[in-house]
Amino acid sequence: FPTRRSSDLAAHEIGSTIYWPVGPLVDLKGHPNAQYIYDHVISIPCDQRYDEIQMQEVCDVLNSLS
């Protein structure tokens, strides 16, 4: 999910980051909530560099992808 969405966002010139990929020593067996987070969390830009119009564009793209 995050990798696919990251590509979708990049197609709209929106950067995104997957901060916590599953590391080689991480054992997720028996931890479905942790697995869900690894499978679904992606970070998108939202800080002082962007004005209201730019943030609305990010929201519009995200809504179009859902």
Side-chain angles (χ1 to χ4, degrees):
F1 176 84
T3 303
R4 185 181 79 228
R5 285 295 181 231
S6 184
S7 297
D8 293 341
L9 293 170
H12 293 276
E13 298 183 5
I14 297 172
S16 61
T17 304
I18 301 169
Y19 282 109
W20 298 284
V22 179
L25 301 178
V26 175
D27 181 9
L28 296 173
K29 293 177 188 161
H31 303 285
N33 292 332
Q35 182 66 58
Y36 181 87
I37 290 171
Y38 279 110
D39 291 343
H40 291 86
V41 172
I42 187 169
S43 298
I44 57 169
C46 182
D47 61 43
Q48 73 281 356
R49 296 174 292 171
Y50 305 97
D51 62 26
E52 185 176 345
I53 293 170
Q54 291 169 311
M55 291 312 307
Q56 185 60 55
E57 290 172 356
V58 170
C59 291
D60 292 343
V61 169
L62 288 171
N63 285 328
S64 76
L65 297 174
S66 59

